[in-house]
Amino acid sequence: MKKEELVKQLEAAKTLSSQVDIDKVIVLIQQLETEKKSGFTQELADEIAGRIERCLDNNCDDLVDKDNAEFSIGYGNVIELDSCQINVYDTMDHITACLDEFVVEEDDVVEPEQNEGTAE
């Protein structure tokens, strides 16, 4: 049940009677709370993953710690890469910047307007 549905049901009950049974209100509020889901949709997850992938692809030069890469000379005088670390700080900086685009600040959330005469 969504908030709007709860308000409509309470307004409908208000038109039938000037008094609303508290037990009915409690049951409706419990229904409202049990249907809340945390997380986000698959579509949003795909969009976030796509943006992170594009960001990392566009900034791939920043992702590898080239200063500490270790090489050796292999058979036939071939240069081989023995180890190379990921620059975790820069990688996370790029990922955090992508995720920040999806963050909604509490100040930006639009609160539904309350009708006059209703209690807060």
Side-chain angles (χ1 to χ4, degrees):
M1 173 181 298
K2 294 187 178 183
K3 184 177 179 181
E4 293 82 19
E5 294 171 0
L6 175 61
V7 171
K8 286 179 184 177
Q9 287 185 10
L10 289 173
E11 286 176 353
K14 183 176 151 184
T15 59
L16 297 174
S17 171
S18 62
Q19 295 179 340
V20 177
D21 185 11
I22 296 297
D23 292 331
K24 290 180 181 177
V25 174
I26 291 171
V27 168
L28 290 172
I29 290 173
Q30 287 173 340
Q31 288 176 355
L32 179 68
E33 291 175 354
T34 57
E35 293 187 15
K36 285 187 179 181
K37 294 181 181 178
S38 62
F40 41 85
T41 64
Q42 183 63 45
E43 181 180 339
L44 181 57
D46 292 343
E47 184 177 350
I48 291 170
R51 283 204 191 169
I52 290 173
E53 181 181 6
R54 286 189 301 278
C55 177
L56 294 179
D57 188 41
N58 292 337
N59 298 292
C60 62
D61 290 340
D62 298 339
L63 305 180
V64 177
D65 184 7
K66 296 174 188 170
D67 296 331
N68 294 316
E70 296 178 9
F71 298 92
S72 64
I73 298 178
Y75 180 75
N77 290 331
V78 175
I79 297 176
E80 297 175 351
L81 178 62
D82 291 333
S83 70
C84 186
Q85 301 295 317
I86 293 175
N87 191 339
V88 176
Y89 178 79
D90 286 345
T91 302
M92 287 308 300
D93 193 39
H94 291 302
I95 291 172
T96 302
C98 287
L99 293 175
D100 284 344
E101 295 175 21
F102 292 93
V103 174
V104 177
E105 299 294 329
E106 287 185 31
D107 296 339
D108 296 340
V109 175
V110 178
E111 294 292 328
E113 294 181 21
Q114 292 186 347
N115 294 335
E116 289 183 25
T118 59
E120 292 184 7

